[in-house]
Amino acid sequence: MNESTILMNDAMLINPDRIVPPAAWVEHIPFLSWLIVALKPAIFVELGTHSGNSYLSACQAVLENHLNTRCYAVDTWQGDEHSGFYGEEIFVSLSQYHQEKYAAFSNLLRMPFDQAKDYFSEQTIDILHIDGLHTYEAVKHDFETWLPKLSNNGVILFHDTNVHERGFGVWQLWEQIQDSYPSIEFPHSHGLGILFVGNSQPEVIKHMISLWQDESNRQIIQRLFSRLGKNITLQFMISEMRREIQRLNQEEETLNQTVLQLKADINQVHSDLSQQEQLLSAILSSTSWRLTKPWRFIGRLVKKHLAFRGL
Ligand SMILES: C[S@@+](CC[C@H](N)C(=O)[O-])C[C@H]1O[C@@H](n2cnc3c(N)ncnc32)[C@H](O)[C@@H]1O
């Protein structure tokens, strides 16, 4: 078996069942799926789930690969300053989908991160994905509070290590901690930093870390996962366009119905008008109308006369 065969697994070719906006995370799905199968975590925890793109792909990887992983998503499902504040419909839609497919091994914990940490024992979490508020202070706090919960093969993922704007500070924390443990980082899709905090990693992970030390290997691995991720973005864009085409088709159908109705209304007005015209010409040409013509003439003269005299 050569090096690349050991590194590859089928899970990196995952075809996500559900991608919804916002899609900022989706290009890391192949790596997360690869990692889950490489590590076979007993416990996976995500801090910051929003509409569920990263979390549901983790659940899908667990299910498709018949793993005994228990998954937990922690979020208030209210939003924050960076992801924006959002309505109840996000949680309702995620929760409904989640309950149907993954309730057997996964739980949505609707609460602040600091409250959820009390529900996990020290050294039990194998993969922790930190993707909450992205200020330096918030992500440092999340990292420091949850670090003791990580097991001896624990791995922490940080999203947005490559965002240098809008008060994001994950890059700053990442600079400070990336050399404290073995680590790798993907710059694409806003950046994903992976910190191998457990000191007893499986062979395949050790192999990945050792390949990473070589610049050309590192570039190939980064490009490989970036390309796989790009496919997911393209699939998402195609499905969004299909949805838009469907919406436009429905709109066109409604407009066609309105145009038909308007044409029918116009025809009706024309026919009413011509009936009125026929009636009028019948009146004008009638004998009584002609006989009363002098009286109508006198009536008009009297009106003018009275008007002239101010009466
Ligand atoms: C960037 S979004 C998560 C994106 C998600 N991982 C994805 O795949 O699209 C951040 C989420 O973290 C949640 N959040 C931020 N700080 C939190 C805290 N202290 N406790 C609970 N939830 C929090 C927000 O409600 C928001 O839904």
Side-chain angles (χ1 to χ4, degrees), residues 11-294:
M12 61 207 271
L13 304 177
I14 184 172
N15 194 6
D17 290 335
R18 181 186 189 260
I19 300 288
V20 292
W25 207 92
V26 302
E27 292 186 14
H28 296 300
I29 288 175
F31 177 76
L32 177 60
S33 183
W34 174 87
L35 179 69
I36 283 175
V37 167
L39 201 75
K40 299 186 177 39
I43 297 186
F44 169 86
V45 175
E46 177 168 274
L47 305 182
T49 297
H50 198 162
S51 58
N53 288 331
S54 50
Y55 187 72
L56 292 177
S57 66
C59 291
Q60 187 179 334
V62 166
L63 192 68
E64 285 180 353
N65 295 285
H66 315 290
L67 303 178
N68 285 323
T69 309
R70 275 175 292 146
C71 299
Y72 301 90
V74 188
D75 202 309
T76 55
W77 280 283
Q78 289 175 341
D80 58 50
E81 288 79 2
H82 283 143
S83 52
F85 292 93
Y86 49 81
E88 192 63 12
E89 68 287 352
I90 299 282
F91 179 72
V92 170
S93 154
L94 168 68
S95 169
Q96 202 172 349
Y97 184 87
H98 170 269
Q99 288 311 110
E100 277 169 22
K101 291 196 83 165
Y102 302 125
F105 61 89
S106 162
N107 282 286
L108 304 181
L109 307 181
R110 193 169 196 183
M111 61 186 79
F113 302 156
D114 283 358
Q115 189 179 332
K117 79 176 191 316
D118 298 332
Y119 294 108
F120 296 90
S121 303
E122 309 269 293
Q123 300 186 341
T124 55
I125 298 173
D126 302 302
I127 301 181
L128 176 73
H129 175 213
I130 299 182
D131 196 17
L133 182 62
H134 292 98
T135 60
Y136 171 77
E137 292 74 19
V139 73
K140 186 172 191 288
H141 173 79
D142 295 338
F143 170 59
E144 288 172 352
T145 11
W146 286 79
L147 183 60
K149 307 286 179 185
L150 271 290
S151 73
N152 61 1
N153 57 4
V155 177
I156 305 183
L157 310 180
F158 298 84
H159 190 223
D160 290 317
T161 52
N162 202 12
V163 181
H164 297 257
E165 57 182 15
R166 295 196 293 130
F168 278 53
V170 188
W171 64 271
Q172 213 177 338
L173 179 74
W174 183 247
E175 269 183 11
Q176 293 166 1
I177 61 175
Q178 64 178 331
D179 294 329
S180 319
Y181 300 92
S183 68
I184 64 177
E185 186 192 6
F186 295 100
H188 67 276
S189 209
H190 312 288
L192 188 73
I194 300 107
L195 205 59
F196 298 97
V197 296
N199 55 14
S200 170
Q201 297 293 335
E203 285 308 311
V204 64
I205 300 282
K206 286 186 193 160
H207 184 55
M208 167 70 100
I209 294 166
S210 89
L211 284 175
W212 202 264
Q213 308 317 309
D214 177 78
E215 175 65 23
S216 60
N217 280 339
R218 180 162 64 233
Q219 282 186 15
I220 290 173
I221 298 168
Q222 284 175 333
R223 281 171 52 203
L224 172 70
F225 281 105
S226 166
R227 287 277 175 91
L228 291 172
K230 188 62 79 191
N231 272 350
I232 294 181
T233 294
L234 292 175
Q235 279 172 26
F236 170 66
M237 286 166 72
I238 290 169
S239 74
E240 286 291 284
M241 280 178 199
R242 285 210 179 105
R243 225 202 313 256
E244 183 62 6
I245 288 170
Q246 208 174 6
R247 194 189 64 74
L248 288 172
N249 282 342
Q250 276 167 1
E251 207 170 284
E252 188 188 9
E253 179 62 26
T254 314
L255 283 174
N256 284 341
Q257 296 292 340
T258 311
V259 168
L260 282 178
Q261 186 57 50
L262 282 173
K263 278 183 178 165
D265 290 351
I266 290 170
N267 285 341
Q268 186 60 49
V269 169
H270 276 150
S271 122
D272 289 354
L273 205 60
S274 84
Q275 273 179 20
Q276 298 291 336
E277 279 169 2
Q278 280 169 14
L279 192 65
L280 194 62
S281 74
I283 291 171
L284 291 177
S285 57
S286 71
T287 316
S288 62
W289 182 263
R290 273 185 277 121
L291 286 178
T292 55
K293 190 175 178 185

